[in-house]
Amino acid sequence: MRSRPAEGVAPAEAAGGSMAALVRAVSCQTGVTQWTAACSGLLQTATVQGQCRQMLYSTFQHLSAKDSVQTSEEKVGTFTRIIEALGFTGPLKYSRWKIKVAALRMYTCCVEKTDYEEFFNRCQMPDTLNSWFLVAQLHVWMCLVRMKQEGRTGKYMCRYIVHCMWEDVEQRGKVMGINSVVLKQDMRSMVENFYAALFGYDEGILSDDHVLAAALWRNLFNKNCEDPRHLELLVEYVRKQVQHLDALSGEDLLLTGEVSWRPLVESNARSILKPLSPVYNDEGL
């Protein structure tokens, strides 16, 4: 650990020396306890304020946690936690290209295996790009809820599912001939609404049907639903779909991304359909 810099030393030089000490600590594979002590010394000696100091503090505060911390029963090594705390992706259960292929397939299932016309007719929604996006984001959210249960690999897959969604929305807008300026403004609004919808749907799925119905009324119907039976239908639909996705094998989802959807209207919506196991080869294709 470097000694406290003299009063005449410039802040940038002090920060540079501190970061050099940090790099040496990484190369020597210093333990978590020594990392925490080194961080405390850095924060006391560094004179640089703002984002750099805040990043260092949050990073090593995370590293000082117990080594027994697990995510979805998945043990994570010290080195993996270090690089992920710094914003990088650590080793995953499967190769990244396999996960990206599965993520693309899962998103494709959201847009190709969903009967949008039935949604528009039964819920009295206008046949527009925005209505299509609202229905698509509902199904994407249900996939995200399921894949987040698969640990770090599932969370990485979630990020790419969302990436595929925005790529698709932009391409559909261009095909429809929407002005580039207008499309950019619409996508900015969609991004804001999407992340707001995620919070609302998460709260609803963890709460009772009243909270879920309120989330659907705000996000799917845009606060414009005069028939409560439409909300009742969608609440039932979300509950049974989440239950159906939970019954799917996590390994199969990570390798194939194949998802099936139950119909919007069923005679016995409370029944649990036994999902079919997807077929894939040794390479996960």
Side-chain angles (χ1 to χ4, degrees):
M1 179 59 64
R2 297 175 63 90
S3 60
R4 182 180 297 273
E7 295 181 356
V9 178
E13 295 178 359
S18 300
M19 293 304 295
L22 178 59
V23 173
R24 287 198 297 272
V26 175
S27 62
C28 294
Q29 299 182 351
T30 310
V32 174
T33 303
Q34 295 175 337
W35 269 83
T36 307
C39 176
S40 300
L42 285 175
L43 293 179
Q44 292 175 1
T45 58
T47 59
V48 180
Q49 302 294 327
Q51 296 182 352
C52 181
R53 178 167 180 166
Q54 184 178 5
M55 181 189 70
L56 286 173
Y57 179 76
S58 60
T59 298
F60 290 102
Q61 186 180 36
H62 173 77
L63 293 177
S64 61
K66 295 180 179 179
D67 292 335
S68 59
V69 174
Q70 298 179 353
T71 302
S72 300
E73 300 182 357
E74 180 182 4
K75 293 183 178 180
V76 180
T78 302
F79 178 73
T80 300
R81 288 191 285 130
I82 291 173
I83 61 177
E84 290 188 345
L86 293 174
F88 300 97
T89 301
L92 301 174
K93 190 173 184 179
Y94 302 107
S95 64
R96 297 185 185 182
W97 72 267
K98 286 185 180 180
I99 299 173
K100 289 182 178 181
V101 170
L104 178 58
R105 286 181 174 175
M106 183 168 291
Y107 173 73
T108 303
C109 292
C110 292
V111 297
E112 292 188 355
K113 292 187 178 182
T114 303
D115 191 346
Y116 288 89
E117 185 176 355
E118 184 179 16
F119 271 88
F120 295 160
N121 293 334
R122 289 190 176 274
C123 300
Q124 297 180 359
M125 301 173 65
D127 189 359
T128 62
L129 176 63
N130 186 62
S131 296
W132 170 89
F133 172 73
L134 294 177
V135 177
Q137 80 169 0
L138 177 65
H139 291 80
V140 168
W141 164 74
M142 288 188 284
C143 288
L144 299 181
V145 170
R146 177 61 184 89
M147 298 315 301
K148 286 181 180 178
Q149 302 177 32
E150 301 303 320
R152 296 168 48 258
T153 306
K155 291 180 180 179
Y156 179 82
M157 185 173 175
C158 289
R159 287 158 48 187
Y160 203 75
I161 292 174
V162 175
H163 171 78
C164 294
M165 180 185 69
W166 294 127
E167 290 287 335
D168 186 32
V169 171
E170 184 178 6
Q171 291 300 320
R172 288 175 184 267
K174 292 179 179 179
V175 171
M176 295 176 64
I178 300 177
N179 181 273
S180 59
V181 177
V182 176
L183 179 60
K184 185 177 181 180
Q185 295 175 349
D186 290 344
M187 289 194 63
R188 185 182 298 111
S189 176
M190 288 179 179
V191 170
E192 296 176 356
N193 294 334
F194 173 71
Y195 289 106
L198 293 187
F199 285 107
Y201 289 149
D202 284 344
E203 181 184 14
I205 200 65
L206 295 174
S207 305
D208 56 23
D209 290 347
H210 296 86
V211 180
L212 180 57
L216 291 167
W217 177 73
R218 291 191 309 270
N219 300 291
L220 183 64
F221 291 97
N222 281 327
K223 303 180 181 180
N224 183 22
C225 180
E226 299 179 355
D227 192 343
R229 291 176 296 179
H230 297 161
L231 283 174
E232 180 183 8
L233 177 63
L234 265 298
V235 168
E236 179 185 87
Y237 179 78
V238 170
R239 295 290 186 191
K240 70 182 181 183
Q241 291 293 2
V242 172
Q243 186 182 42
H244 173 66
L245 293 177
D246 284 341
L248 298 176
S249 168
E251 297 294 323
D252 292 337
L253 292 175
L254 289 173
L255 288 172
T256 67
E258 290 291 338
V259 173
S260 59
W261 303 103
R262 298 180 64 172
L264 179 60
V265 179
E266 293 181 281
S267 58
N268 186 13
R270 292 173 181 254
S271 65
I272 301 178
L273 300 179
K274 184 178 180 180
L276 299 176
S277 299
V279 179
Y280 54 90
N281 58 28
D282 294 336
E283 296 181 351
L285 299 175

